[in-house]
Amino acid sequence: MTTEATSSISNKRATSALQMGPRKKASSSDPLISHGRHFGRTVFALCNYPSLLTNGILRLEQMEETPLEDFSAEEQREHRVFEQLLDSYPGLLERLRNGSEEEILHVGELIGKGAAGARGDDTKSLKSAILDWISLKGDPIQPPLHRNSKIDRGFNHRLTGSLLCPAGLDWDDEETRENLRSGEISVCGDQWPIFLYASSIYDAEDPWCGLLRSRLLTCAYKHVFTSPSSVDKDPKATRSGNARLHGMNCVTTASIAYIATQVRFALSSSSVFSRTDTSTDSETFYHSLLDLFEDPDETKEVADLLTWWNRQVFPTSSAAKRPISANSALSKIRIKRLAAKHAADSNVAVGSS
């Protein structure tokens, strides 16, 4: 990259790339658009991709003299996302390093177009589908909720309100309901709704218990990643839909956060997914889940969560396999076979000495 291009890019670097940028149209068709759809769903959803690329290229040069650990926490996260993007698309780094500033921005716009398109498609499809999962089959929602309008959702309706109620608050308390509806109680993005928990049960003494293991989340995940028809069926060895299209055979933490963000928005009364929408505060919510997943102190819990998710969505993948029970016949067969192999190896070693 030329000095002039680097200088020009440096002057444009003003905001974090891990925030949604202004909407732009990319007219050209390119495989990067398809890649952007999957990357946004599974690695980082709410991202300004032109800034991500320009910042990342500059940071690579700076890291020749300054280790990544010396950058801010936000820049470190941004660079991890940048590296994941490079790893997921062979030849991208070379294309960026050899390209002009305009080429880098164009590549970012193509990836961003894909990510935004996927997000818009999922928002549209979940808007209607969510109503099929929030009540028992054969039990109509009362009062009825409209599939094409969201004005009566959110805290305006007893059912969606009960699911969006922040964990720790009592939706059955009339005063709490009224304060949530009126806005007297303001709900920030990092106040997680009860629908994230299995059976909507929150244990204040053990807040990890059931977290992100609700049926509503798994239904939405299958709807987006495997296929809408897979939601009510038992998982099978074959995969279809977006996961199969992109060779996806295991769940990512970012994809869980993405689906949780989409479900939360689908239940809300907001009509347009926007970074400036303070009522849903979707970006804060999404980032708060990523913060949890990336916390080194939560490694074991996150690993257990991923294993659980893989059993729900990709049960035949290696990521979903349970360890063999210690006292099972299979474990004893393998122990005996291993012992016999060690004995044979020892005899060979003695004979050759």
Side-chain angles (χ1 to χ4, degrees), residues 123-124 126-128 130-131 145-157 160 164 261-273 277 280 282:
T123 299
K124 182 178 180 180
L126 288 171
K127 177 181 179 180
S128 173
I130 198 82
L131 300 185
L145 286 169
H146 300 93
R147 290 185 176 273
N148 297 320
S149 172
K150 298 181 65 185
I151 194 169
D152 49 358
R153 300 187 190 184
F155 296 123
N156 300 320
H157 193 279
T160 53
L164 288 170
T261 303
Q262 285 282 9
V263 170
R264 182 173 174 269
F265 181 78
L267 293 171
S268 76
S269 58
S270 296
S271 58
V272 179
F273 195 112
D277 185 355
T280 56
S282 292

Side-chain angles (χ1 to χ4, degrees), residues 169-210:
L169 295 185
D170 182 9
W171 176 255
D172 291 331
D173 179 71
E174 184 176 352
E175 184 178 358
T176 298
R177 288 199 306 272
E178 288 304 317
N179 287 338
L180 286 169
R181 285 169 180 156
S182 67
E184 185 74 18
I185 296 178
S186 178
V187 180
C188 300
D190 57 1
Q191 291 177 280
W192 294 340
I194 195 64
F195 80 78
L196 295 185
Y197 285 88
S199 303
S200 294
I201 298 174
Y202 168 67
D203 182 354
E205 299 300 316
D206 184 11
W208 258 111
C209 182

